[in-house]
Amino acid sequence: AAGAVLEPGTVAGKGVDVTFLGNLVDCYVGLPDDTRLRVQASADALLEVGQSVVVRFDPDAVTVFAA
């Protein structure tokens, strides 16, 4: 919901590109500050472009690459 307080380790955004790859769904999530996250989800995830999502991650399992 708009204005909801998110738990630590979560970010809210919208799906901007979704590609079904057979065994997984490759999705780019756009954040309010125009940052884009690449997310890979299980093949049964029902993700659509424009859909509001919350991404939860384990800070110890994140890989960040320089732009």
Side-chain angles (χ1 to χ4, degrees):
V5 176
L6 298 174
E7 296 179 25
T10 62
V11 292
K14 290 191 181 222
V16 294
D17 185 32
V18 178
T19 305
F20 178 72
L21 298 176
N23 62 334
L24 60 89
V25 175
D26 194 50
C27 178
Y28 284 89
V29 175
L31 305 183
D33 68 356
D34 293 327
T35 298
R36 285 176 41 137
L37 300 178
R38 182 178 182 197
V39 177
Q40 293 183 330
S42 63
D44 60 352
L46 302 174
L47 301 172
E48 297 179 6
V49 171
Q51 177 181 357
S52 294
V53 298
V54 174
V55 178
R56 180 177 55 209
F57 56 91
D58 177 352
D60 295 328
V62 173
T63 303
V64 177
F65 299 95

